Amino acid sequence: MSIWWSLHLRREAASVPLARRLLLGTMETAGVDPDISFDLSVALGEACANAVEHGGRTAAALGSGPEEAGAYHVTAYLDGDRCRIEVSDSGPGFPHATVGRRRPSLAESGRGLHLIAELADHVRFRNRPGRGAVVSFDKMLKWRDDSLLKVS
């Protein structure tokens, strides 16, 4: 069995704990090991905070309505023994030096991306030209003995 969900969130600070709680609740219900759940929720929080802070342009620049300029998207997949999370925004994108790297620099403003890279097994930072940035990361799951979705 697999679980998939997607959120369309406003670029507001209050959206970050909402995304984290949904992920934690999903993983708790499925029976994912709490340490793995916590690591992924922290990584998700960092990716969402980055989207809230850097992930938007004006509606005029996007050629769309104000709701798209003030939004970002989170998608999570729990499938088999892996969880994959993707956070996308409509901002200016990552600096060229960050794109495609697994380990971003430890510059003053890039620590959240570095933390994501440390907490996940695989990370990708990419730009969608004219459409924003995407952070995707995944992690192998460990299961509690009483889990509903445990992979044999």
mmCIF file of all heavy atoms in Angstrom, residues 6-54:
data_model
loop_
_atom_site.group_PDB
_atom_site.id
_atom_site.type_symbol
_atom_site.label_atom_id
_atom_site.label_comp_id
_atom_site.label_asym_id
_atom_site.label_seq_id
_atom_site.Cartn_x
_atom_site.Cartn_y
_atom_site.Cartn_z
ATOM 1 N N SER A 6 -1.083 15.955 -1.407
ATOM 2 C CA SER A 6 -0.540 17.194 -1.954
ATOM 3 C C SER A 6 -1.271 18.374 -1.324
ATOM 4 O O SER A 6 -2.482 18.323 -1.130
ATOM 5 C CB SER A 6 -0.729 17.207 -3.476
ATOM 6 O OG SER A 6 -0.120 18.327 -4.050
ATOM 7 N N LEU A 7 -0.494 19.412 -1.001
ATOM 8 C CA LEU A 7 -1.051 20.618 -0.395
ATOM 9 C C LEU A 7 -0.725 21.833 -1.252
ATOM 10 O O LEU A 7 0.371 21.929 -1.802
ATOM 11 C CB LEU A 7 -0.440 20.857 0.992
ATOM 12 C CG LEU A 7 -0.643 19.810 2.057
ATOM 13 C CD1 LEU A 7 0.217 20.130 3.272
ATOM 14 C CD2 LEU A 7 -2.103 19.747 2.445
ATOM 15 N N HIS A 8 -1.647 22.738 -1.319
ATOM 16 C CA HIS A 8 -1.457 24.051 -1.934
ATOM 17 C C HIS A 8 -1.574 25.035 -0.773
ATOM 18 O O HIS A 8 -2.648 25.180 -0.200
ATOM 19 C CB HIS A 8 -2.555 24.279 -2.976
ATOM 20 C CG HIS A 8 -2.484 25.593 -3.657
ATOM 21 N ND1 HIS A 8 -1.811 25.769 -4.838
ATOM 22 C CD2 HIS A 8 -2.996 26.796 -3.333
ATOM 23 C CE1 HIS A 8 -1.923 27.036 -5.210
ATOM 24 N NE2 HIS A 8 -2.647 27.677 -4.311
ATOM 25 N N LEU A 9 -0.438 25.643 -0.387
ATOM 26 C CA LEU A 9 -0.401 26.462 0.822
ATOM 27 C C LEU A 9 -0.068 27.914 0.525
ATOM 28 O O LEU A 9 0.697 28.207 -0.399
ATOM 29 C CB LEU A 9 0.652 25.909 1.790
ATOM 30 C CG LEU A 9 0.413 24.486 2.289
ATOM 31 C CD1 LEU A 9 1.670 23.929 2.921
ATOM 32 C CD2 LEU A 9 -0.743 24.482 3.271
ATOM 33 N N ARG A 10 -0.592 28.803 1.352
ATOM 34 C CA ARG A 10 -0.233 30.216 1.269
ATOM 35 C C ARG A 10 1.178 30.398 1.809
ATOM 36 O O ARG A 10 1.592 29.698 2.723
ATOM 37 C CB ARG A 10 -1.189 31.069 2.097
ATOM 38 C CG ARG A 10 -2.562 31.138 1.518
ATOM 39 C CD ARG A 10 -3.469 31.930 2.455
ATOM 40 N NE ARG A 10 -4.490 32.550 1.673
ATOM 41 C CZ ARG A 10 -4.509 33.841 1.348
ATOM 42 N NH1 ARG A 10 -3.593 34.647 1.784
ATOM 43 N NH2 ARG A 10 -5.466 34.316 0.598
ATOM 44 N N ARG A 11 1.886 31.368 1.264
ATOM 45 C CA ARG A 11 3.232 31.689 1.750
ATOM 46 C C ARG A 11 3.114 32.487 3.050
ATOM 47 O O ARG A 11 3.406 33.666 3.088
ATOM 48 C CB ARG A 11 4.010 32.455 0.690
ATOM 49 C CG ARG A 11 4.499 31.573 -0.434
ATOM 50 C CD ARG A 11 5.352 32.315 -1.448
ATOM 51 N NE ARG A 11 6.370 33.136 -0.809
ATOM 52 C CZ ARG A 11 6.432 34.472 -0.907
ATOM 53 N NH1 ARG A 11 5.542 35.139 -1.599
ATOM 54 N NH2 ARG A 11 7.400 35.125 -0.312
ATOM 55 N N GLU A 12 2.699 31.822 4.085
ATOM 56 C CA GLU A 12 2.553 32.411 5.408
ATOM 57 C C GLU A 12 3.221 31.477 6.404
ATOM 58 O O GLU A 12 3.178 30.251 6.254
ATOM 59 C CB GLU A 12 1.076 32.560 5.768
ATOM 60 C CG GLU A 12 0.335 33.505 4.852
ATOM 61 C CD GLU A 12 -1.164 33.535 5.135
ATOM 62 O OE1 GLU A 12 -1.648 32.756 5.996
ATOM 63 O OE2 GLU A 12 -1.843 34.319 4.475
ATOM 64 N N ALA A 13 3.804 32.047 7.443
ATOM 65 C CA ALA A 13 4.516 31.254 8.450
ATOM 66 C C ALA A 13 3.636 30.165 9.057
ATOM 67 O O ALA A 13 4.121 29.071 9.359
ATOM 68 C CB ALA A 13 5.079 32.165 9.531
ATOM 69 N N ALA A 14 2.352 30.424 9.224
ATOM 70 C CA ALA A 14 1.451 29.442 9.841
ATOM 71 C C ALA A 14 1.292 28.175 9.002
ATOM 72 O O ALA A 14 0.882 27.135 9.528
ATOM 73 C CB ALA A 14 0.079 30.076 10.078
ATOM 74 N N SER A 15 1.631 28.229 7.726
ATOM 75 C CA SER A 15 1.499 27.043 6.879
ATOM 76 C C SER A 15 2.571 25.996 7.166
ATOM 77 O O SER A 15 2.373 24.812 6.909
ATOM 78 C CB SER A 15 1.539 27.433 5.406
ATOM 79 O OG SER A 15 2.837 27.892 5.039
ATOM 80 N N VAL A 16 3.710 26.414 7.721
ATOM 81 C CA VAL A 16 4.820 25.487 7.948
ATOM 82 C C VAL A 16 4.461 24.416 8.978
ATOM 83 O O VAL A 16 4.580 23.218 8.700
ATOM 84 C CB VAL A 16 6.109 26.252 8.317
ATOM 85 C CG1 VAL A 16 7.236 25.287 8.630
ATOM 86 C CG2 VAL A 16 6.500 27.214 7.188
ATOM 87 N N PRO A 17 3.981 24.780 10.181
ATOM 88 C CA PRO A 17 3.614 23.720 11.126
ATOM 89 C C PRO A 17 2.430 22.884 10.641
ATOM 90 O O PRO A 17 2.334 21.701 10.981
ATOM 91 C CB PRO A 17 3.283 24.467 12.417
ATOM 92 C CG PRO A 17 3.131 25.892 12.054
ATOM 93 C CD PRO A 17 3.887 26.106 10.781
ATOM 94 N N LEU A 18 1.558 23.451 9.833
ATOM 95 C CA LEU A 18 0.443 22.683 9.277
ATOM 96 C C LEU A 18 0.974 21.539 8.416
ATOM 97 O O LEU A 18 0.551 20.386 8.567
ATOM 98 C CB LEU A 18 -0.468 23.593 8.447
ATOM 99 C CG LEU A 18 -1.586 22.896 7.686
ATOM 100 C CD1 LEU A 18 -2.592 22.293 8.658
ATOM 101 C CD2 LEU A 18 -2.261 23.868 6.742
ATOM 102 N N ALA A 19 1.914 21.832 7.529
ATOM 103 C CA ALA A 19 2.496 20.798 6.668
ATOM 104 C C ALA A 19 3.220 19.744 7.500
ATOM 105 O O ALA A 19 3.091 18.537 7.253
ATOM 106 C CB ALA A 19 3.445 21.430 5.657
ATOM 107 N N ARG A 20 3.974 20.196 8.504
ATOM 108 C CA ARG A 20 4.705 19.254 9.367
ATOM 109 C C ARG A 20 3.743 18.335 10.117
ATOM 110 O O ARG A 20 3.967 17.131 10.196
ATOM 111 C CB ARG A 20 5.569 20.002 10.380
ATOM 112 C CG ARG A 20 6.836 20.568 9.782
ATOM 113 C CD ARG A 20 7.746 21.120 10.840
ATOM 114 N NE ARG A 20 8.260 20.019 11.659
ATOM 115 C CZ ARG A 20 8.958 20.192 12.768
ATOM 116 N NH1 ARG A 20 9.227 21.401 13.222
ATOM 117 N NH2 ARG A 20 9.404 19.155 13.448
ATOM 118 N N ARG A 21 2.670 18.898 10.661
ATOM 119 C CA ARG A 21 1.708 18.083 11.416
ATOM 120 C C ARG A 21 1.019 17.054 10.537
ATOM 121 O O ARG A 21 0.758 15.925 10.961
ATOM 122 C CB ARG A 21 0.665 18.979 12.090
ATOM 123 C CG ARG A 21 1.195 19.646 13.318
ATOM 124 C CD ARG A 21 0.088 20.371 14.074
ATOM 125 N NE ARG A 21 0.680 21.492 14.775
ATOM 126 C CZ ARG A 21 0.316 22.746 14.648
ATOM 127 N NH1 ARG A 21 -0.694 23.071 13.860
ATOM 128 N NH2 ARG A 21 0.919 23.693 15.321
ATOM 129 N N LEU A 22 0.687 17.445 9.305
ATOM 130 C CA LEU A 22 0.057 16.499 8.395
ATOM 131 C C LEU A 22 1.015 15.340 8.092
ATOM 132 O O LEU A 22 0.620 14.171 8.122
ATOM 133 C CB LEU A 22 -0.381 17.191 7.102
ATOM 134 C CG LEU A 22 -1.059 16.284 6.085
ATOM 135 C CD1 LEU A 22 -2.304 15.623 6.660
ATOM 136 C CD2 LEU A 22 -1.422 17.073 4.842
ATOM 137 N N LEU A 23 2.273 15.658 7.842
ATOM 138 C CA LEU A 23 3.252 14.599 7.585
ATOM 139 C C LEU A 23 3.419 13.696 8.811
ATOM 140 O O LEU A 23 3.385 12.471 8.694
ATOM 141 C CB LEU A 23 4.601 15.202 7.184
ATOM 142 C CG LEU A 23 5.707 14.174 6.926
ATOM 143 C CD1 LEU A 23 5.393 13.352 5.682
ATOM 144 C CD2 LEU A 23 7.054 14.865 6.781
ATOM 145 N N LEU A 24 3.589 14.300 9.983
ATOM 146 C CA LEU A 24 3.765 13.508 11.201
ATOM 147 C C LEU A 24 2.545 12.620 11.482
ATOM 148 O O LEU A 24 2.693 11.454 11.856
ATOM 149 C CB LEU A 24 4.039 14.410 12.399
ATOM 150 C CG LEU A 24 5.450 14.990 12.470
ATOM 151 C CD1 LEU A 24 5.522 16.097 13.518
ATOM 152 C CD2 LEU A 24 6.474 13.904 12.754
ATOM 153 N N GLY A 25 1.350 13.164 11.281
ATOM 154 C CA GLY A 25 0.137 12.377 11.494
ATOM 155 C C GLY A 25 0.025 11.215 10.531
ATOM 156 O O GLY A 25 -0.354 10.099 10.908
ATOM 157 N N THR A 26 0.368 11.467 9.275
ATOM 158 C CA THR A 26 0.333 10.409 8.268
ATOM 159 C C THR A 26 1.306 9.301 8.630
ATOM 160 O O THR A 26 0.976 8.108 8.593
ATOM 161 C CB THR A 26 0.679 10.981 6.877
ATOM 162 O OG1 THR A 26 -0.255 12.002 6.537
ATOM 163 C CG2 THR A 26 0.666 9.893 5.818
ATOM 164 N N MET A 27 2.516 9.688 9.010
ATOM 165 C CA MET A 27 3.542 8.698 9.318
ATOM 166 C C MET A 27 3.222 7.936 10.616
ATOM 167 O O MET A 27 3.468 6.731 10.700
ATOM 168 C CB MET A 27 4.903 9.379 9.388
ATOM 169 C CG MET A 27 5.297 9.934 8.021
ATOM 170 S SD MET A 27 6.880 10.713 8.066
ATOM 171 C CE MET A 27 7.754 9.614 6.984
ATOM 172 N N GLU A 28 2.667 8.630 11.591
ATOM 173 C CA GLU A 28 2.262 7.968 12.838
ATOM 174 C C GLU A 28 1.187 6.927 12.554
ATOM 175 O O GLU A 28 1.259 5.790 13.018
ATOM 176 C CB GLU A 28 1.745 9.004 13.846
ATOM 177 C CG GLU A 28 1.044 8.436 15.049
ATOM 178 C CD GLU A 28 1.948 7.638 15.985
ATOM 179 O OE1 GLU A 28 3.179 7.841 15.951
ATOM 180 O OE2 GLU A 28 1.417 6.811 16.734
ATOM 181 N N THR A 29 0.189 7.305 11.771
ATOM 182 C CA THR A 29 -0.900 6.398 11.424
ATOM 183 C C THR A 29 -0.393 5.190 10.638
ATOM 184 O O THR A 29 -0.820 4.059 10.868
ATOM 185 C CB THR A 29 -1.976 7.140 10.614
ATOM 186 O OG1 THR A 29 -2.473 8.225 11.397
ATOM 187 C CG2 THR A 29 -3.116 6.220 10.220
ATOM 188 N N ALA A 30 0.549 5.425 9.725
ATOM 189 C CA ALA A 30 1.082 4.336 8.908
ATOM 190 C C ALA A 30 2.007 3.421 9.709
ATOM 191 O O ALA A 30 2.202 2.265 9.339
ATOM 192 C CB ALA A 30 1.837 4.918 7.715
ATOM 193 N N GLY A 31 2.604 3.941 10.785
ATOM 194 C CA GLY A 31 3.487 3.120 11.600
ATOM 195 C C GLY A 31 4.967 3.319 11.338
ATOM 196 O O GLY A 31 5.782 2.444 11.624
ATOM 197 N N VAL A 32 5.327 4.475 10.815
ATOM 198 C CA VAL A 32 6.734 4.775 10.559
ATOM 199 C C VAL A 32 7.447 5.039 11.882
ATOM 200 O O VAL A 32 6.875 5.637 12.803
ATOM 201 C CB VAL A 32 6.862 6.000 9.614
ATOM 202 C CG1 VAL A 32 8.317 6.426 9.437
ATOM 203 C CG2 VAL A 32 6.231 5.688 8.262
ATOM 204 N N ASP A 33 8.683 4.584 11.981
ATOM 205 C CA ASP A 33 9.513 4.806 13.159
ATOM 206 C C ASP A 33 9.537 6.300 13.504
ATOM 207 O O ASP A 33 9.736 7.136 12.620
ATOM 208 C CB ASP A 33 10.933 4.313 12.851
ATOM 209 C CG ASP A 33 11.884 4.580 13.991
ATOM 210 O OD1 ASP A 33 11.934 3.754 14.907
ATOM 211 O OD2 ASP A 33 12.569 5.627 13.952
ATOM 212 N N PRO A 34 9.331 6.662 14.769
ATOM 213 C CA PRO A 34 9.261 8.079 15.157
ATOM 214 C C PRO A 34 10.517 8.892 14.840
ATOM 215 O O PRO A 34 10.421 10.077 14.522
ATOM 216 C CB PRO A 34 9.017 8.034 16.669
ATOM 217 C CG PRO A 34 8.454 6.692 16.938
ATOM 218 C CD PRO A 34 9.020 5.773 15.900
ATOM 219 N N ASP A 35 11.693 8.288 14.911
ATOM 220 C CA ASP A 35 12.922 9.025 14.587
ATOM 221 C C ASP A 35 12.971 9.418 13.115
ATOM 222 O O ASP A 35 13.365 10.532 12.772
ATOM 223 C CB ASP A 35 14.164 8.215 14.952
ATOM 224 C CG ASP A 35 14.331 8.039 16.454
ATOM 225 O OD1 ASP A 35 13.801 8.886 17.224
ATOM 226 O OD2 ASP A 35 14.976 7.055 16.862
ATOM 227 N N ILE A 36 12.565 8.516 12.245
ATOM 228 C CA ILE A 36 12.512 8.807 10.809
ATOM 229 C C ILE A 36 11.468 9.880 10.547
ATOM 230 O O ILE A 36 11.705 10.829 9.791
ATOM 231 C CB ILE A 36 12.189 7.535 9.998
ATOM 232 C CG1 ILE A 36 13.263 6.463 10.203
ATOM 233 C CG2 ILE A 36 11.984 7.858 8.524
ATOM 234 C CD1 ILE A 36 14.627 6.791 9.660
ATOM 235 N N SER A 37 10.311 9.753 11.178
ATOM 236 C CA SER A 37 9.243 10.742 11.021
ATOM 237 C C SER A 37 9.714 12.129 11.438
ATOM 238 O O SER A 37 9.453 13.119 10.752
ATOM 239 C CB SER A 37 8.020 10.356 11.859
ATOM 240 O OG SER A 37 7.495 9.135 11.443
ATOM 241 N N PHE A 38 10.417 12.198 12.565
ATOM 242 C CA PHE A 38 10.910 13.473 13.054
ATOM 243 C C PHE A 38 11.910 14.088 12.070
ATOM 244 O O PHE A 38 11.816 15.268 11.739
ATOM 245 C CB PHE A 38 11.539 13.316 14.438
ATOM 246 C CG PHE A 38 12.073 14.609 14.985
ATOM 247 C CD1 PHE A 38 11.207 15.553 15.519
ATOM 248 C CD2 PHE A 38 13.430 14.890 14.933
ATOM 249 C CE1 PHE A 38 11.693 16.769 16.001
ATOM 250 C CE2 PHE A 38 13.922 16.102 15.420
ATOM 251 C CZ PHE A 38 13.053 17.043 15.955
ATOM 252 N N ASP A 39 12.875 13.296 11.582
ATOM 253 C CA ASP A 39 13.855 13.805 10.620
ATOM 254 C C ASP A 39 13.165 14.382 9.389
ATOM 255 O O ASP A 39 13.489 15.481 8.938
ATOM 256 C CB ASP A 39 14.820 12.703 10.172
ATOM 257 C CG ASP A 39 15.834 12.322 11.229
ATOM 258 O OD1 ASP A 39 15.906 12.996 12.284
ATOM 259 O OD2 ASP A 39 16.566 11.333 10.998
ATOM 260 N N LEU A 40 12.210 13.640 8.857
ATOM 261 C CA LEU A 40 11.511 14.113 7.660
ATOM 262 C C LEU A 40 10.664 15.346 7.951
ATOM 263 O O LEU A 40 10.561 16.238 7.106
ATOM 264 C CB LEU A 40 10.656 12.998 7.062
ATOM 265 C CG LEU A 40 11.450 11.938 6.302
ATOM 266 C CD1 LEU A 40 10.578 10.729 5.996
ATOM 267 C CD2 LEU A 40 12.031 12.524 5.015
ATOM 268 N N SER A 41 10.075 15.419 9.127
ATOM 269 C CA SER A 41 9.260 16.595 9.446
ATOM 270 C C SER A 41 10.126 17.842 9.605
ATOM 271 O O SER A 41 9.720 18.939 9.213
ATOM 272 C CB SER A 41 8.410 16.356 10.690
ATOM 273 O OG SER A 41 9.170 16.419 11.870
ATOM 274 N N VAL A 42 11.320 17.699 10.165
ATOM 275 C CA VAL A 42 12.229 18.842 10.271
ATOM 276 C C VAL A 42 12.676 19.284 8.868
ATOM 277 O O VAL A 42 12.675 20.477 8.558
ATOM 278 C CB VAL A 42 13.448 18.511 11.166
ATOM 279 C CG1 VAL A 42 14.503 19.615 11.094
ATOM 280 C CG2 VAL A 42 13.000 18.298 12.602
ATOM 281 N N ALA A 43 13.031 18.319 8.029
ATOM 282 C CA ALA A 43 13.439 18.651 6.658
ATOM 283 C C ALA A 43 12.297 19.341 5.911
ATOM 284 O O ALA A 43 12.508 20.341 5.211
ATOM 285 C CB ALA A 43 13.884 17.385 5.918
ATOM 286 N N LEU A 44 11.084 18.830 6.072
ATOM 287 C CA LEU A 44 9.919 19.463 5.439
ATOM 288 C C LEU A 44 9.728 20.877 5.961
ATOM 289 O O LEU A 44 9.468 21.808 5.188
ATOM 290 C CB LEU A 44 8.660 18.634 5.671
ATOM 291 C CG LEU A 44 7.356 19.257 5.163
ATOM 292 C CD1 LEU A 44 7.411 19.508 3.654
ATOM 293 C CD2 LEU A 44 6.174 18.385 5.538
ATOM 294 N N GLY A 45 9.860 21.063 7.272
ATOM 295 C CA GLY A 45 9.723 22.402 7.844
ATOM 296 C C GLY A 45 10.726 23.379 7.259
ATOM 297 O O GLY A 45 10.384 24.530 6.952
ATOM 298 N N GLU A 46 11.964 22.937 7.067
ATOM 299 C CA GLU A 46 12.986 23.803 6.474
ATOM 300 C C GLU A 46 12.653 24.139 5.027
ATOM 301 O O GLU A 46 12.798 25.286 4.589
ATOM 302 C CB GLU A 46 14.362 23.141 6.560
ATOM 303 C CG GLU A 46 14.901 23.020 7.959
ATOM 304 C CD GLU A 46 15.152 24.364 8.624
ATOM 305 O OE1 GLU A 46 15.467 25.353 7.926
ATOM 306 O OE2 GLU A 46 15.039 24.431 9.861
ATOM 307 N N ALA A 47 12.198 23.152 4.263
ATOM 308 C CA ALA A 47 11.846 23.398 2.860
ATOM 309 C C ALA A 47 10.653 24.356 2.759
ATOM 310 O O ALA A 47 10.636 25.259 1.915
ATOM 311 C CB ALA A 47 11.536 22.078 2.153
ATOM 312 N N CYS A 48 9.660 24.175 3.625
ATOM 313 C CA CYS A 48 8.492 25.067 3.623
ATOM 314 C C CYS A 48 8.890 26.480 4.047
ATOM 315 O O CYS A 48 8.437 27.462 3.443
ATOM 316 C CB CYS A 48 7.405 24.526 4.539
ATOM 317 S SG CYS A 48 6.594 23.029 3.945
ATOM 318 N N ALA A 49 9.722 26.587 5.084
ATOM 319 C CA ALA A 49 10.161 27.912 5.537
ATOM 320 C C ALA A 49 10.915 28.635 4.427
ATOM 321 O O ALA A 49 10.759 29.848 4.243
ATOM 322 C CB ALA A 49 11.034 27.775 6.783
ATOM 323 N N ASN A 50 11.706 27.899 3.662
ATOM 324 C CA ASN A 50 12.422 28.492 2.539
ATOM 325 C C ASN A 50 11.435 28.999 1.476
ATOM 326 O O ASN A 50 11.603 30.095 0.939
ATOM 327 C CB ASN A 50 13.381 27.463 1.933
ATOM 328 C CG ASN A 50 14.370 28.091 0.999
ATOM 329 O OD1 ASN A 50 15.185 28.906 1.411
ATOM 330 N ND2 ASN A 50 14.297 27.718 -0.268
ATOM 331 N N ALA A 51 10.406 28.203 1.201
ATOM 332 C CA ALA A 51 9.397 28.616 0.222
ATOM 333 C C ALA A 51 8.630 29.841 0.707
ATOM 334 O O ALA A 51 8.327 30.745 -0.078
ATOM 335 C CB ALA A 51 8.428 27.467 -0.066
ATOM 336 N N VAL A 52 8.319 29.888 1.991
ATOM 337 C CA VAL A 52 7.600 31.038 2.543
ATOM 338 C C VAL A 52 8.456 32.299 2.436
ATOM 339 O O VAL A 52 7.978 33.356 2.033
ATOM 340 C CB VAL A 52 7.190 30.777 4.017
ATOM 341 C CG1 VAL A 52 6.737 32.054 4.706
ATOM 342 C CG2 VAL A 52 6.089 29.725 4.073
ATOM 343 N N GLU A 53 9.741 32.172 2.778
ATOM 344 C CA GLU A 53 10.612 33.339 2.778
ATOM 345 C C GLU A 53 11.029 33.799 1.382
ATOM 346 O O GLU A 53 11.051 34.986 1.100
ATOM 347 C CB GLU A 53 11.868 33.058 3.600
ATOM 348 C CG GLU A 53 12.767 34.269 3.731
ATOM 349 C CD GLU A 53 13.938 34.042 4.653
ATOM 350 O OE1 GLU A 53 13.954 33.041 5.389
ATOM 351 O OE2 GLU A 53 14.843 34.884 4.643
ATOM 352 N N HIS A 54 11.349 32.863 0.503
ATOM 353 C CA HIS A 54 11.945 33.221 -0.791
ATOM 354 C C HIS A 54 11.089 32.860 -1.996
ATOM 355 O O HIS A 54 11.480 33.176 -3.118
ATOM 356 C CB HIS A 54 13.292 32.499 -0.961
ATOM 357 C CG HIS A 54 14.253 32.740 0.137
ATOM 358 N ND1 HIS A 54 14.877 33.949 0.331
ATOM 359 C CD2 HIS A 54 14.696 31.915 1.117
ATOM 360 C CE1 HIS A 54 15.674 33.860 1.382
ATOM 361 N NE2 HIS A 54 15.581 32.634 1.885
#
